[in-house]
Amino acid sequence: AQSVAQPEDQVNVAEGNPLTVKCTYSVSGNPYLFWYVQYPNRGLQFLLKYITGDNLVKGSYGFEAEFNKSQTSFHLKKPSALVSDSALYFCAVRDFYGGSQGNLIFGKGTKLSVKP
Amino acid sequence: DVKVTQSSRYLVKRTGEKVFLECVQDMDHENMFWYRQDPGLGLRLIYFSYDVKMKEKGDIPEGYSVSREKKERFSLILESASTNQTSMYLCASREQGGIQETQYFGPGTRLLVL
């Protein structure tokens, strides 16, 4: 079955330090991978995606993610965290071969807390 | 920019009431989706629609139904609300096919069933 895992419920980072939010996936074929961010009491906002091409994908708000096929990972990164980056982050994979008929499968989310 | 709007940000209903959650998108997207979001469970797909008049069950359709009479509007219906349907409901839309693949989300409706 297709799946995506976010192994950390919460990540704490000091402002100015680099941050990483982890995501691993399991799919049958080539994955389409996404990161979304949710600020408090808001809907999800698209950050970036990997479809094909360069393994390093750059997205909104200075975020980037690296697709690693051998480790089946798609970790979200930012060189210098801001307090305003504090939010809930979701990794998602598009499921082409599972029962969801090609729809997105979301991880459970990782809460990022950036302290001043 | 794509805009997805949901009719209510917060809603309080009584057990047994029929509840309508409305979602409208303005980008002529063919695909629309309803999710519910619960702490520790992430987003779970309730229903989706790939075109007008079409609907497909997602992962957790029990207790819900949907309506897609117009392309821009996708309604989620709770036939008889129950307390276990207290949740955050998110609507999303997506352009059919192509390389875009991105789903765009509305602001969410936080539903409390008493």
Side-chain angles (χ1 to χ4, degrees):
Chain A
Q2 326 300 309
S3 65
V4 60
Q6 294 180 244
E8 301 155 317
D9 292 335
Q10 181 154 348
V11 170
N12 298 312
V13 178
E15 189 175 30
N17 283 0
L19 69 88
T20 298
V21 182
K22 295 180 180 177
C23 173
T24 59
Y25 64 90
S26 174
V27 299
S28 297
N30 293 323
Y32 286 16
L33 294 155
F34 301 79
W35 275 102
Y36 285 84
V37 60
Q38 184 181 37
Y39 297 102
N41 298 312
R42 305 297 296 274
L44 272 67
Q45 295 180 30
F46 168 73
L47 271 181
L48 52 79
K49 65 184 176 187
Y50 171 82
I51 304 295
T52 186
D54 289 342
N55 290 342
L56 185 64
V57 179
K58 294 189 183 295
S60 306
Y61 313 122
F63 284 94
E64 59 188 29
E66 185 169 11
F67 170 64
N68 188 318
K69 190 171 184 178
S70 62
Q71 297 185 8
T72 62
S73 67
F74 189 56
H75 301 332
L76 182 70
K77 299 181 180 183
K78 188 173 182 181
S80 179
L82 300 172
V83 173
S84 57
D85 292 330
S86 298
L88 189 57
Y89 290 80
F90 289 97
C91 182
V93 63
R94 187 159 184 202
D95 167 21
F96 286 97
Y97 301 102
S100 296
Q101 302 183 43
N103 294 314
L104 285 179
I105 297 173
F106 285 86
K108 295 183 178 180
T110 298
K111 183 179 179 182
L112 174 66
S113 178
V114 182
K115 301 293 186 186
Chain B
D1 282 349
V2 175
K3 191 168 184 182
V4 180
T5 57
Q6 295 183 229
S7 52
S8 305
R9 293 299 304 276
Y10 301 95
L11 213 50
V12 181
K13 295 293 182 180
R14 296 282 179 188
T15 301
E17 280 192 76
K18 191 168 186 176
V19 182
F20 293 87
L21 302 183
E22 304 286 341
C23 175
V24 177
Q25 51 93 4
D26 67 357
M27 283 301 292
D28 202 36
H29 285 172
E30 290 84 0
N31 304 162
M32 296 188 74
F33 306 82
W34 274 107
Y35 296 88
R36 64 176 282 177
Q37 180 185 4
D38 300 287
L41 296 177
L43 274 70
R44 293 179 292 168
L45 182 63
I46 305 172
Y47 266 97
F48 59 99
S49 169
Y50 279 172
D51 208 341
V52 178
K53 304 285 187 181
M54 292 179 63
K55 57 185 179 183
E56 297 286 345
K57 294 180 179 180
D59 299 319
I60 52 163
E62 296 79 19
Y64 303 94
S65 62
V66 290
S67 173
R68 183 112 183 256
E69 296 296 319
K70 294 185 178 181
K71 192 175 187 179
E72 67 271 17
R73 187 180 297 269
F74 191 36
S75 302
L76 180 68
I77 303 157
L78 286 65
E79 297 290 342
S80 178
S82 63
T83 55
N84 63 13
Q85 292 178 310
T86 291
S87 187
M88 174 75 139
Y89 290 89
L90 293 166
C91 175
S93 73
R94 181 185 70 194
E95 184 179 356
Q96 174 72 23
I99 202 67
Q100 295 304 314
E101 301 290 344
T102 302
Q103 287 189 20
Y104 297 90
F105 284 81
T109 296
R110 191 169 292 280
L111 173 66
L112 173 62
V113 182
L114 300 174

